[in-house]
Amino acid sequence: MDGTTRVGVTRAAGRVRCDLRPGALSARVLSTGPGVARVALVATRALLLGGDHVRVEVHVGEGVELELVEVSGTVAYTGRGRAASWTVDVVVGDGGLLVWDALPFVVAEGADVTRSTDVRLGAGAVALLRETLVLGRTGETGGRLRSSTRAEHVSGRQVTGVIHDPDTATPLHRVSGSPTTGVIPDPDPLRELFVEDLDLGAHRALPGILGTARVVDSVLLLGTRPPAARPDDAVATVRHPLRLDLDGPGAVARHLGASTHDAGLDAVVATWAAAARAARAAVVPDPGNDPDQSIMLQTTGA
């Protein structure tokens, strides 16, 4: 069964507008504030069954903060020969912020699941995403999971010189004052920030892949660089989640383990979320100056 859930949050004339369209998940407003909305995602039926194709579309408007809260985790059940998919498409407008601390996604024995997450960030936009993949319920080895993540952002980069046609070598842009030098806009401002493909199938237990681990817990921050861990930070000194800084603004923290209880990434989420909100505050005007802070909800469906 297919089901597309849409969550949109925008600001217009000083108002926060929520556009919520239910699908396999239903979005419910938990709270709102000046330029901020907190929305829960609630399953409308049993998920995830063989043959299900769930899609979640999230749009965060310019200068808005959206926090998504999951009421319960998701279990992909035995598909009896039928595959299932879980697709997330995220767009965060200029100066926007998305915080999504997702609950565990469990792939039970016999399930065959494809997950994909695509994120596009505008100028000054930030996204913090938690993804906890669990292979099997207690006593199970788990089914097959293929998971891909793509993130792009507006680079804001400028190119020095003239862009030439690759076939004819003729200039495509000419800069005033010099035929060969100068500053021109980037012709392709969207840049890949993070790309990952995980194929956790029959060979995932091999050395160098997962080994004995059955939990892949990740926190991905896009659009800003998180602060360095302090020496007295329990996350840094005790549980040692792996942190990798991206080539662009962002980082990923990851833990591979046997259970969801020993990852130590809850503290990472809290610290990085605070850094993300601070980064947003630096580029977005104080919403308290808006003359009208009323909330407008537009909901379609149950």
Side-chain angles (χ1 to χ4, degrees), residues 195-289:
V195 177
E196 181 177 68
D197 291 291
L198 300 176
D199 189 348
L200 304 179
H203 303 294
R204 62 176 178 254
L206 292 174
I209 304 179
L210 291 187
T212 60
R214 54 184 287 268
V215 174
V216 182
D217 198 354
S218 307
V219 180
L220 180 61
L221 181 62
L222 302 165
T224 188
R225 187 65 56 85
R230 298 171 300 178
D232 59 343
D233 192 334
V235 173
T237 59
V238 178
R239 295 180 177 176
H240 302 286
L242 173 67
R243 167 176 167 164
L244 297 173
D245 289 337
L246 306 182
D247 182 57
V252 58
R254 174 161 293 164
H255 172 82
L256 304 180
S259 72
T260 58
H261 306 294
D262 57 0
L265 289 183
D266 289 344
V268 172
V269 172
T271 301
W272 288 14
R277 290 186 171 102
R280 173 179 177 266
V283 298
V284 177
D286 183 1
N289 295 328

Side-chain angles (χ1 to χ4, degrees), residues 20 128 174 289:
L20 311 178
L128 175 66
R174 186 180 182 88
N289 295 328

Side-chain angles (χ1 to χ4, degrees), residues 41-58:
L41 295 176
V42 183
T44 59
R45 54 182 173 80
L47 294 175
L48 188 70
L49 305 178
D52 283 348
H53 300 286
V54 175
R55 181 177 179 85
V56 181
E57 298 177 353
V58 180

